[in-house]
Amino acid sequence: MKNVKSFRLSLIAVLLFTVLSACGSNSGSHNNGNVAQSSPSASAKVPDPVELLNVSYDPTRELYDEYNKSFAEYWKKETGGTVKIKQSHGGSGKQSRAVIDGLEADVVTLALAYDIDAIASKGLLKTDWQQSFEQNSTPYTSTIVFLVRKGNPKGIKDWGDLLKEGVQVITPSPKTSGGARWNYLAAWGYAAQKNHNDETKIKEFMKQLFHHVPVLDSGARDATNTFVQRQIGDVLLAWENEAYLALKEFGDQYEIVTPSLSILAEPPVAVIDKVVDKKGTRQVAEAYLKFLYTEQGQEIAAKNFYRPRLQSVADKYKKQFPSLNLLTIDKDFGGWQEAQKKHFADGGVFDQIYTPGS
Amino acid sequence: MASKGNKDRVLPGFRLTLGFTVLYLSLIVLIPIAVLALRSGELSAAQWWNTVTTPRVMASYKLSLMTSLFAALANLLIGLLLAWVLVRYRFPGKKMIDGLIDLPFALPTAVAGIALTTIYAPNGWIGSLFQPLGLKIAYSPLGITIALIFIGLPFVVRTVQPVLQDLEADMEEAAVLLGAYRWRSFRKVILPELVPSLLTGFALAFARGIGEYGSVVFISGNMPMKTEITPLLIITKLEQYQYREAAAIAVVLLLISFVLLLLINFVQRWSNRRLHSV
Amino acid sequence: MAGIATNPRAGESHADIPKHLTEPRVIRWILIGAALLFVGLIVVLPLITVLSQAFSKGWEAYLTALKEPDALAALRLTLLTAVIAVPLNSLFGLAAAWAITKFQFRGKNVLVTLIDLPFAVSPVISGLIYVLLFGAQGLLGPWLQEHNIHIIFATPGIVLATMFVTFPFVARELIPFMEAQGVEDEEAAVSLGARGWRVFRKVTLPNIKWGLLYGMILCNARAMGEFGAVSVVSGHIRGETNTLPLHIEILYNEYQFAAAFAVASLLMLLAVVTLIVKSVLESRMSGKRYSA
């Protein structure tokens, strides 16, 4: 019996040890995992070198890849400190959920304000977070354009052409994708203008539009993949930056069509108060987002096909970003909370127009 | 339950091993699953029922069940054929084929997913052959079924193979001597013996198919009402911050799987008893 | 389930079947042809696809994709996860198999069914349950946050989800194995005065070592390849909480198709090695069976 007991003890010891090492190796893994050395466990005092986690949405991968390097250089020059920025990308809604569930993001840079509102509603940052930075905390903007196959074989010029016989439209699902909500609202805005705000006619337009959608991917990047890699569909409704990126990656197989009217897509940024206060990274996190508004930051945004806010940079890239009529979420749709409730919540307009047998 | 008949246990370690088993099982499996039920229980009964029966959710059950069913049926036939050929015939490369059967088991589902999508997409190797015929494979229920056939392939083969091997040759011989024709002897003598293992393999493939996510999500196209499987719907609910709803649907899926599992164990016990009573 | 799905005796070739009991040649070849066609279509074609896509940009691109820091970090995390999950599940498998096969007790069938449960649970759900338990909005979340313990979106969460998914493998492999062996050997050893641990080490272990290894290998393959469950709890922080399958998804989403398939080929290699080791073990096991 003695043997059994000691075996039992050693068993427990082994178990404990493994569990502990699992936790321990977590903090260990970012120590040896990367070039810059990280602070093992976060404490209240400012750690140096400092580590930031930027939780972002899908199409910003290339943008922040470049931006993070510039910011690290800038920070080194300004303060002499070393900053290392980690990135996480995914669908905007998914990312916001992860932050709510405890993913410790110092800053979030998501596709729409609604997703940051959701985080704020859980008390992780103040509810008027959009006042924290200039321009509604949106350092760069974008819009929704059409990506069509080379030569535009179906002759797509504007939203109305999407309903033409035999045209297949690719857009992700507005239920899960931030970009898709911008797509949806832009189309809605066009229909509203054409039909003098007659709601039944607008809904009919939207219903028909979604009849032309053969695949409803869950994220913006998935939709782009479906269009460019799988060769499905005649037109992709996409973020302008995403469309340009596809052009850059796949060369001359596609072209961009700018519709007569679109929406000003505002992907906002925010510091997650609760996380930065706990980790003591507020100063660097705020500097990180402010740097986005500088000439250098704006230049990087423009190079990655986001429309810059700064006039001087905007002028420089004027050719890349044709001007067009842009609706805004706040003026034309009463803000995200309202738009979400009316259109995208369960049982909302999108569910009504996108049901079986319709 | 530990105290009963403890005296006539000669071997040591009963309490220790059972205790550890139950503890570990509780920590890793049971408690987390209980939390799931608890969380979905935060909805009122009516809300709960509404959540798990909306048309979109119902469509996803139907799709998940139908595609898994068809895939399992296909695997039943393919699996029987493969087991038959592997046990009874000799041909070059047999060993390799036999090893390859287990590949879907060892290959990460995400890898399977992107590979299958590449093959069956409209511009893929096989997809492009069917494209002119107007037949869409990827991004349709057919594509999901193909992914599930891949995932479920080993189950039927591996359940039938050992039984087929153990089948007494003389039993068959007797049938032949009695003048039964080959097809008849297969139907009357061999097939009945295989039924329990066929059923088990079928149920395993079916159960696996219902829950499969990684390989399907790439090939399905995720159209609500059309190609949206139930596991994907759970993820979608999660991304819309609807935890309780996600948990509710998960509970339904869990119940389906659990019933299937009980069924499998039942079939196994039934066939064991039948074998032992002979 | 795995015990059935990957029966150790599969692949043993049967003694020759007398001529009058086998089918006419034509039928035989038709059946063999059909079988080969199915295996080709279902299994071989995806393999070829992965390889051809992986090398579509040449050797150099292939190697670059594998040497990228994020890929290496993903590889490290995947290995770490397996190194923790597999031994723990093996320990559990041994304990469970011992309790279930060497003793009679009430509720045994329920226990066996419960052990199987993770097989039937959708991987997505296995991730979800840990989010509900350890997430910031979950049951233990607030307490964990207060104490600055990271489970979800960190290595422990990934390990837990992996453990759940691979939970039954070793137990399922060992139970039929140890059942077949009965208890006589151990009882004899005990009557000769051997103590518990010693009985296990000297009598049981040598008998089951191949079965155990076999279960561990399957467990390992699944642990390294799990996608659905891990995807829910990972948080997708680059270079930190991405496992190899998640890294593949990311590359795929970044239009780096060749790189995605290159990393996929790494996992495929693992699968193939697993199968080879498995068939070697099988022949050892069946060899043992006949010599016994």
Side-chain angles (χ1 to χ4, degrees):
Chain A
M1 230 36 212
K2 217 178 190 173
N3 261 336
V4 173
K5 224 171 229 160
S6 65
F7 175 46
R8 195 178 311 179
L9 275 177
S10 60
L11 239 179
I12 292 166
V14 166
L15 196 69
L16 273 177
F17 175 74
T18 341
V19 171
L20 282 179
S21 68
C23 303
S25 53
N26 171 44
S27 47
S29 71
H30 29 117
N31 273 342
N32 46 32
N34 289 292
V35 196
Q37 285 195 349
S38 69
S39 53
S41 78
S43 57
K45 69 176 199 303
V46 183
D48 186 63
V50 64
E51 208 172 70
L52 287 184
L53 174 59
N54 176 3
V55 171
S56 193
Y57 65 115
D58 260 331
T60 59
R61 298 160 198 268
E62 293 76 10
L63 164 66
Y64 282 109
D65 227 23
E66 193 176 346
Y67 176 76
N68 289 347
K69 279 179 206 130
S70 307
F71 177 72
E73 278 165 26
Y74 161 83
W75 187 251
K76 184 112 214 164
K77 219 165 57 201
E78 289 291 303
T79 67
T82 308
V83 60
K84 176 171 181 295
I85 298 131
K86 293 181 296 180
Q87 283 294 139
S88 168
H89 293 276
S92 190
K94 183 157 93 184
Q95 295 294 77
S96 144
R97 174 191 72 79
V99 173
I100 290 173
D101 274 333
L103 181 61
E104 293 202 323
D106 300 270
V107 298
V108 288
T109 50
L110 295 179
L112 35 88
Y114 180 77
D115 287 328
I116 302 184
D117 281 342
I119 302 172
S121 74
K122 300 287 178 189
L124 290 172
L125 71 164
K126 50 185 187 292
T127 42
D128 63 344
W129 58 271
Q130 269 199 304
Q131 310 308 318
S132 303
F133 295 94
E134 289 165 55
Q135 310 266 24
N136 253 344
S137 292
T138 314
Y140 41 78
T141 66
S142 189
T143 185
I144 301 301
V145 297
F146 303 160
L147 189 68
V148 297
R149 305 206 181 275
K150 187 77 198 169
N152 198 357
K154 301 266 169 143
I156 292 156
K157 296 267 179 298
D158 209 347
W159 293 96
D161 298 325
L162 301 182
L163 302 194
K164 279 199 296 196
E165 183 83 23
V167 171
Q168 285 195 323
V169 182
I170 303 294
T171 171
S173 163
K175 286 284 205 174
T176 47
S177 154
R181 278 176 226 171
W182 293 113
N183 292 348
Y184 172 101
L185 291 177
W188 181 281
Y190 171 85
Q193 208 178 52
K194 280 274 141 160
N195 295 303
H196 311 290
N197 291 318
D198 180 342
E199 191 114 324
T200 28
K201 281 193 185 147
I202 305 173
K203 280 187 189 164
E204 189 48 42
F205 179 91
M206 297 304 288
K207 195 170 186 169
Q208 287 205 15
L209 175 62
F210 278 93
H211 269 296
H212 289 260
V213 178
V215 182
L216 210 56
D217 286 298
S218 63
R221 203 35 86 80
D222 298 335
T224 313
N225 260 336
T226 300
F227 186 73
V228 300
Q229 178 72 1
R230 304 277 160 251
Q231 301 282 327
I232 294 179
D234 303 300
V235 52
L236 172 75
L237 309 186
W239 294 93
E240 186 176 44
N241 54 292
E242 186 78 357
Y244 271 113
L245 189 70
L247 277 195
K248 192 171 125 191
E249 295 282 335
F250 298 97
D252 48 359
Q253 300 170 45
Y254 305 95
E255 51 188 78
I256 290 174
V257 172
T258 311
S260 67
L261 174 107
S262 193
I263 193 164
L264 180 72
E266 296 170 289
V269 300
V271 169
I272 304 293
D273 295 333
K274 231 179 162 174
V275 175
V276 291
D277 288 344
K278 185 167 143 195
K279 288 169 66 176
T281 47
R282 176 175 288 280
Q283 195 196 355
V284 57
E286 279 174 355
Y288 176 74
L289 292 184
K290 276 199 187 118
F291 187 66
L292 278 168
Y293 291 89
T294 62
E295 182 142 8
Q296 203 181 343
Q298 293 281 296
E299 180 95 30
I300 293 173
K303 255 198 286 177
N304 284 283
F305 315 114
Y306 280 90
R307 294 186 174 219
R309 292 280 202 184
L310 202 65
Q311 201 53 49
S312 59
V313 181
D315 287 343
K316 198 169 146 195
Y317 284 86
K318 213 158 57 196
K319 259 207 248 138
Q320 188 172 306
F321 303 116
S323 63
L324 70 165
N325 266 331
L326 293 175
L327 304 167
T328 69
I329 179 78
D330 290 324
K331 269 212 310 280
D332 299 281
F333 296 93
W336 267 113
Q337 288 303 330
E338 197 158 310
Q340 177 75 20
K341 208 164 80 200
K342 176 174 176 189
H343 293 282
F344 309 119
D346 277 351
V349 175
F350 178 71
D351 278 351
Q352 290 162 29
I353 62 167
Y354 202 88
T355 39
S358 61
Chain B
M1 57 180 155
S3 63
K4 187 186 150 237
N6 214 3
K7 278 199 187 110
D8 49 270
R9 275 193 193 107
V10 187
L11 293 181
F14 175 68
R15 278 157 187 254
L16 172 73
T17 53
L18 187 68
F20 178 67
T21 303
V22 172
L23 177 77
Y24 192 75
L25 183 73
S26 309
L27 281 180
I28 304 286
V29 179
L30 298 183
I31 294 176
I33 285 183
V35 171
L36 180 77
L38 213 70
R39 201 67 205 259
S40 82
E42 285 170 14
L43 295 165
S44 75
Q47 278 176 321
W48 200 92
W49 186 248
N50 273 338
T51 305
V52 300
T53 56
T54 55
R56 187 165 161 206
V57 181
M58 293 300 275
S60 83
Y61 298 143
K62 200 174 135 198
L63 178 75
S64 277
L65 288 172
M66 291 304 272
T67 49
S68 308
L69 182 72
F70 280 121
L73 281 173
N75 272 329
L76 196 65
L77 295 176
I78 299 172
L80 179 60
L81 170 75
L82 284 174
W84 181 269
V85 168
L86 286 175
V87 171
R88 301 183 53 115
Y89 306 145
R90 287 213 255 175
F91 55 93
K94 175 169 151 172
K95 262 221 126 98
M96 215 176 84
I97 300 288
D98 196 63
L100 279 173
I101 303 272
D102 278 332
L103 187 87
F105 216 79
L107 193 70
T109 51
V111 176
I114 56 173
L116 289 171
T117 311
T118 306
I119 297 170
Y120 291 102
N123 63 342
W125 290 344
I126 294 188
S128 59
L129 298 180
F130 287 88
Q131 174 85 336
L133 308 174
L135 194 65
K136 205 163 83 170
I137 300 182
Y139 315 115
S140 77
L142 188 61
I144 301 177
T145 311
I146 286 178
L148 294 181
I149 291 177
F150 175 84
I151 294 298
L153 180 74
F155 290 105
V156 177
V157 183
R158 292 306 186 225
T159 47
V160 171
Q161 226 172 0
V163 182
L164 207 54
Q165 259 160 11
D166 284 350
L167 261 193
E168 300 289 323
D170 32 302
M171 212 165 118
E172 235 188 297
E173 192 148 5
V176 173
L177 288 179
L178 288 174
Y181 290 103
R182 291 233 43 88
W183 172 240
R184 212 176 126 86
S185 88
F186 173 76
R187 233 182 41 202
K188 295 273 172 187
V189 181
I190 304 177
L191 204 55
E193 286 297 312
L194 294 181
V195 166
S197 57
L198 278 172
L199 273 179
T200 308
F202 173 80
L204 288 173
F206 189 52
R208 177 74 204 269
I210 290 176
E212 178 57 22
Y213 174 73
S215 60
V216 175
V217 76
F218 288 95
I219 206 172
S220 77
N222 309 331
M223 307 273 289
M225 315 297 302
K226 285 186 205 141
T227 58
E228 189 177 50
I229 53 167
T230 313
L232 179 77
L233 198 61
I234 295 175
I235 295 268
T236 308
K237 292 277 173 205
L238 267 185
E239 284 172 20
Q240 293 172 270
Y241 323 115
Q242 298 172 334
Y243 290 79
R244 293 171 303 184
E245 286 83 351
I249 300 173
V251 167
V252 173
L253 202 59
L254 205 64
L255 283 178
I256 298 177
S257 314
F258 195 67
V259 168
L260 277 170
L261 210 62
L262 282 178
L263 215 68
I264 296 166
N265 276 354
F266 177 75
V267 170
Q268 278 177 344
R269 230 173 304 155
W270 168 68
S271 66
N272 268 343
R273 212 172 309 146
R274 233 176 44 128
L275 284 180
H276 287 304
S277 67
V278 171
Chain C
M1 238 184 244
I4 307 148
T6 54
N7 193 295
R9 298 170 61 200
E12 249 170 60
S13 88
H14 204 262
D16 282 301
I17 295 169
K19 244 212 174 100
H20 66 281
L21 277 184
T22 191
E23 287 74 36
R25 183 179 288 254
V26 184
I27 293 188
R28 254 187 297 165
W29 284 113
I30 289 176
L31 290 179
I32 291 174
L36 288 178
L37 182 73
F38 279 126
V39 172
L41 270 181
I42 299 174
V43 182
V44 179
L45 199 59
L47 283 186
I48 296 173
T49 309
V50 171
L51 283 181
S52 77
Q53 298 279 336
F55 290 104
S56 61
K57 295 221 172 119
W59 260 105
E60 224 147 276
Y62 181 82
L63 288 178
T64 321
L66 295 185
K67 275 195 250 161
E68 207 212 346
D70 280 353
L72 289 176
L75 178 64
R76 256 197 303 271
L77 179 61
T78 300
L79 292 176
L80 176 72
T81 307
V83 162
I84 298 171
V86 175
L88 276 179
N89 278 342
S90 307
L91 200 62
F92 161 77
L94 280 172
W98 181 271
I100 285 168
T101 58
K102 307 290 178 194
F103 304 102
Q104 288 302 327
F105 55 92
R106 257 180 300 162
K108 195 163 158 177
N109 281 323
V110 178
L111 186 65
V112 173
T113 307
L114 285 178
I115 290 176
D116 271 351
L117 193 61
F119 268 132
V121 171
S122 173
V124 169
I125 298 181
S126 9
L128 172 64
I129 54 179
Y130 290 111
V131 173
L132 293 180
L133 194 58
F134 298 118
Q137 309 297 313
L139 215 58
L140 302 177
W143 185 86
L144 290 172
Q145 274 199 325
E146 228 164 79
H147 293 79
N148 212 5
I149 301 172
H150 298 228
I151 293 190
I152 292 288
F153 309 125
T155 314
I158 294 171
V159 172
L160 274 175
T162 307
M163 266 159 71
F164 182 96
V165 172
T166 58
F167 184 80
F169 278 82
V170 178
R172 255 301 169 180
E173 210 51 61
L174 285 180
I175 289 171
F177 218 81
M178 282 167 72
E179 203 139 56
Q181 273 164 3
V183 293
E184 288 85 1
D185 290 354
E186 282 89 353
E187 280 179 356
V190 169
S191 69
L192 290 174
R195 294 282 173 89
W197 180 231
R198 217 179 129 78
V199 173
F200 174 76
R201 233 185 35 212
K202 296 278 174 192
V203 181
T204 314
L205 199 57
N207 275 328
I208 60 164
K209 64 179 178 214
W210 297 121
L212 178 65
L213 198 58
Y214 183 81
M216 286 172 77
I217 282 166
L218 284 177
C219 184
N220 183 55
R222 187 69 201 272
M224 290 191 175
E226 180 50 32
F227 173 75
V230 171
S231 159
V232 177
V233 296
S234 129
H236 307 275
I237 306 171
R238 325 198 114 199
E240 196 170 311
T241 62
N242 279 323
T243 60
L244 279 181
L246 296 179
H247 186 62
I248 293 172
E249 192 202 17
I250 286 182
L251 291 172
Y252 191 74
N253 278 340
E254 286 181 352
Y255 310 126
Q256 303 186 37
F257 303 111
F261 279 102
V263 180
S265 74
L266 204 65
L267 282 172
M268 195 179 84
L269 187 73
L270 172 82
V272 172
V273 169
T274 302
L275 294 184
I276 293 172
V277 175
K278 185 178 146 279
S279 67
V280 170
L281 285 181
E282 258 160 18
S283 55
R284 294 205 82 143
M285 275 193 281
S286 59
K288 194 163 169 50
R289 188 186 307 269
Y290 289 125
S291 69

